[in-house]
Amino acid sequence: MASAFETALIADDPAALRACAKADLHAHAVGSGNRAFIKARSGVDIAPVGAALRSMDEMHDWYGRNIGTLFDGVEGRAFGLEAAFVQAREDGVSRIELGDDCWVITQGYASAEDVVRRQAAVHRATAPDVEWLRLVGMSRHCPVAAIDRWLSPFLELKFYDSVDLSGDELAQPIGRFVPLYAKAKAAGLRLKAHVGEWGTADDVWRAVELLELDEVQHGIAAADDPKVMMALARSGIRVNVCPTSNLKLGRVDSLARRPIRRLFDAGVKVTVNTDDVLIFGSSLSEEFLALHRCGLFTAAELDVIRMNGLRD
């Protein structure tokens, strides 16, 4: 018997799909806000990316022109996080993993304790019924010594569930981050990293081995190498793919030609995610609908993918 989720996909019913439990395991707090909420609160209407961008530099330029300093400072970060929880709540996302980069401590907070206290307060006030997997991030372009200095007090708090490395994938060699991941593992965090969005399949597996990753963010380059896909499948490494983000950043050329299909067929545990709803303009429900509409997956297959995110 088809699940309510499958029925909603087959009927092409967005409202019914929003009512189904879903998990977004690859989202960035200040890029994942609800557009209408942000406009009502700030007067700023942020239209998503139109034509495909060609690089991370172009995305950062777009962010500067369209979002600018809206989410800067203590109040700005709280606003961005609140908007992200509003988006999750209104799209029926029952489980979301997101947080802020550890460099946020430089944004005017009194301490790491002040950061987590404010983040927890936003969640309680905005979406207490949404399961929040608390993530602390690292930016790959930042000096490792600075990241270590910023990250250490957060690890000591035992507040976060996972750690992630994001930003320009080619900024510096992945091996430089091994000591930071060792510290995060010792603190009991789940280990994630952005890799394979711009790099190669070999880059994906090297990151998994060196950093002892539990999950890969993006990871679509792994679809170019059957051996890497087999290794990911055998290791049970979850790959959290963001289809519209990949399209808008020029990493794939159409909805119907998706590396996620090859990963799924190879037995890799994949999930569908948004990356940055505000920037790329596609909610999680819309991501699933798009993959079904273009014929890339059946409703039953997408239900399997949905459940991959709802179960650890």
Side-chain angles (χ1 to χ4, degrees):
M1 182 177 179
S3 68
F5 177 83
E6 292 172 68
T7 301
L9 281 175
I10 294 167
D12 204 51
D13 187 339
L17 202 62
R18 286 194 293 272
C20 298
K22 299 175 289 295
D24 196 343
L25 303 180
H26 186 163
H28 301 274
V30 297
S32 295
N34 180 275
R35 179 183 177 188
F37 174 81
I38 291 170
K39 182 179 179 181
R41 176 73 66 84
S42 69
V44 179
D45 188 12
I46 303 169
V49 168
L53 304 176
R54 294 172 295 180
S55 68
M56 290 296 291
D57 285 342
E58 284 195 6
M59 192 185 86
H60 293 150
D61 179 65
W62 181 95
Y63 188 98
R65 287 184 286 104
N66 291 273
I67 298 176
T69 61
L70 184 63
F71 301 128
D72 284 4
V74 173
E75 296 305 319
R77 304 314 279 190
F79 179 36
L81 183 61
E82 182 182 9
F85 281 130
V86 168
Q87 173 63 31
R89 186 186 69 209
E90 295 195 358
D91 192 37
V93 175
S94 55
R95 189 181 203 217
I96 190 165
E97 184 164 17
L98 82 170
D100 213 335
D101 196 284
C102 61
W103 64 252
V104 76
I105 202 168
T106 69
Q107 289 281 296
Y109 292 92
S111 62
E113 290 90 340
D114 187 29
V115 175
V116 303
R117 178 181 60 81
R118 290 174 182 270
Q119 289 180 343
V122 170
H123 176 244
R124 285 195 305 271
T126 311
D129 294 333
V130 174
E131 181 187 0
W132 177 31
L133 302 177
R134 298 166 294 190
L135 180 146
V136 61
M138 302 179 287
S139 288
R140 196 159 174 170
H141 65 274
C142 292
V144 171
I147 298 174
D148 191 17
R149 185 170 67 254
W150 299 327
L151 182 65
S152 293
F154 287 107
L155 296 181
E156 292 171 4
L157 294 175
K158 304 294 184 181
F159 175 79
Y160 291 99
D161 302 299
S162 58
V163 68
D164 187 15
L165 180 67
S166 62
D168 184 356
E169 188 178 334
L170 307 178
Q172 53 185 316
I174 198 75
R176 294 182 182 176
F177 300 94
V178 169
L180 297 176
Y181 272 82
K183 287 186 177 182
K185 182 177 182 178
L189 272 62
R190 191 168 180 84
L191 308 181
K192 310 174 69 165
H194 284 54
V195 63
E197 180 185 19
W198 301 89
T200 67
D202 286 343
D203 291 333
V204 173
W205 191 247
R206 179 172 170 78
V208 168
E209 290 194 308
L210 284 178
L211 306 181
E212 300 183 58
L213 297 180
D214 300 297
E215 301 180 42
V216 171
Q217 307 289 68
H218 290 301
I220 56 173
D224 296 330
D225 190 329
K227 291 181 180 178
V228 171
M229 288 193 289
M230 183 181 299
L232 289 169
R234 287 178 175 174
S235 302
I237 305 295
R238 187 161 58 192
V239 178
N240 302 314
V241 181
C242 304
T244 297
S245 170
N246 295 155
L247 183 66
K248 292 292 184 75
L249 284 175
R251 308 317 299 152
V252 296
D253 57 13
S254 75
L255 282 173
R257 296 178 63 184
R258 291 288 183 181
I260 189 174
R261 178 76 240 188
R262 298 199 298 277
L263 292 166
F264 180 84
D265 288 341
V268 178
K269 184 186 293 186
V270 295
T271 64
V272 169
N273 308 272
T274 60
D275 202 2
D276 296 280
V277 173
L278 188 61
I279 297 173
F280 300 116
S282 182
S283 71
L284 188 57
S285 294
E286 290 166 338
E287 295 281 354
F288 279 111
L289 278 170
L291 293 174
H292 187 256
R293 285 169 177 166
C294 74
L296 191 64
F297 289 102
T298 67
E301 288 171 334
L302 287 169
D303 204 20
V304 171
I305 292 172
R306 175 181 72 108
M307 295 308 299
N308 284 343
L310 291 171
R311 300 169 178 158
D312 285 326

